């Protein structure tokens, strides 16, 4: 019932998401890539190496 209430509360946003021609897929892809790089380097490198990796990726 809480799921249905959430859907009802966000009815306009859901309708816009379905009917609008644009999407945020490109943004989501960039965020996913950034998270992957951060996970790979977690605990192994400092911020300067992470910055260098992001600038070349």
């Amino acid at each position: 019932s809480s799921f249905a209430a959430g859907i009802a509360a966000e009815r306009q946003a859901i309708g816009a998401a379905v009917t609008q021609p644009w999407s945020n897929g490109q943004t989501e892809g960039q965020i996913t890539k950034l998270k992957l790089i951060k996970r790979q380097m977690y605990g192994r490198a400092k911020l300067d190496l992470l910055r260098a990796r992001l600038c070349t990726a």
Side-chain angles (χ1 to χ4, degrees):
S1 65
S2 64
F3 177 73
I7 294 293
E10 298 293 330
R11 184 175 178 175
Q12 287 182 331
I14 293 169
V18 173
T19 59
Q20 296 298 318
W22 52 271
S23 75
N24 63 347
Q26 182 67 28
T27 304
E28 292 296 330
Q30 294 296 326
I31 292 171
T32 302
K33 184 170 83 170
L34 174 63
K35 286 183 178 181
L36 173 67
I37 292 171
K38 285 175 69 176
R39 285 187 194 115
Q40 288 175 341
M41 298 189 73
Y42 179 74
R44 295 186 229 165
K46 301 293 181 200
L47 186 59
D48 57 340
L49 186 56
L50 177 61
R51 186 178 293 126
R53 172 110 188 244
L54 284 175
C55 290
T56 60

